[in-house]
């Protein structure tokens, strides 16, 4: 944010905040701006992904629409959903099966 916008520094920081987690049985990752997370809980996002997983091209769009539909989010919203495991991973999410260990 504000990389190169010196007049806005120091109030805005251009350094990324990075957190690392060890995860097993991970089927997808939702990377999104605070515009999504201020109005959509983790559980709601998981529900949207599970409901939309058969049409992967719509995953990010559905999450954005879920955030702005109730008119709650006035912030900019950026969302990327990364499906792990390819088509097999999508089928596992859709069928409700556990991911392979």
């Amino acid at each position: 944010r504000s990389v190169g916008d010196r007049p806005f520094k120091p109030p805005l920081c251009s350094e990324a905040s990075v957190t690392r987690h060890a995860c097993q049985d991970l089927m997808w990752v939702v990377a999104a701006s605070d515009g999504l997370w201020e109005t959509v809980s983790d559980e709601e996002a998981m529900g949207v992904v599970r409901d939309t997983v058969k049409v992967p091209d719509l995953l990010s769009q559905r999450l954005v629409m879920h955030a702005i539909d109730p008119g709650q989010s006035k912030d900019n919203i950026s969302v990327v959903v990364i499906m792990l495991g390819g088509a097999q991973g999508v089928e596992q999410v859709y069928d409700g099966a556990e991911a392979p260990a």
Side-chain angles (χ1 to χ4, degrees):
R1 195 168 188 172
S2 116
V3 176
D5 291 337
R6 292 205 184 265
F8 295 111
K9 293 180 181 177
L12 294 177
C13 176
S14 61
E15 293 182 29
S17 173
V18 178
T19 305
R20 294 173 192 234
H21 299 279
C23 300
Q24 294 180 357
D25 302 331
L26 192 62
M27 293 188 252
W28 68 79
V29 174
V30 177
S33 64
D34 61 340
L36 178 78
W37 301 121
E38 288 173 354
T39 59
V40 177
S41 70
D42 294 348
E43 291 77 19
E44 288 175 298
M46 287 174 49
V48 171
V49 171
R50 286 186 189 278
D51 290 346
T52 314
V53 75
K54 277 295 209 180
V55 190
D57 293 347
L58 297 179
L59 286 169
S60 297
Q61 182 179 353
R62 287 260 343 260
L63 283 167
V64 169
M65 296 308 292
H66 190 75
I68 64 174
D69 188 38
Q72 293 179 12
S73 183
K74 305 264 188 258
D75 201 349
N76 61 339
I77 303 171
S78 299
V79 179
V80 175
V81 180
I82 304 159
M83 297 302 297
L84 306 173
Q88 180 184 10
V90 169
E91 290 299 323
Q92 287 173 343
V93 172
Y94 184 74
D95 293 337
E98 294 294 318

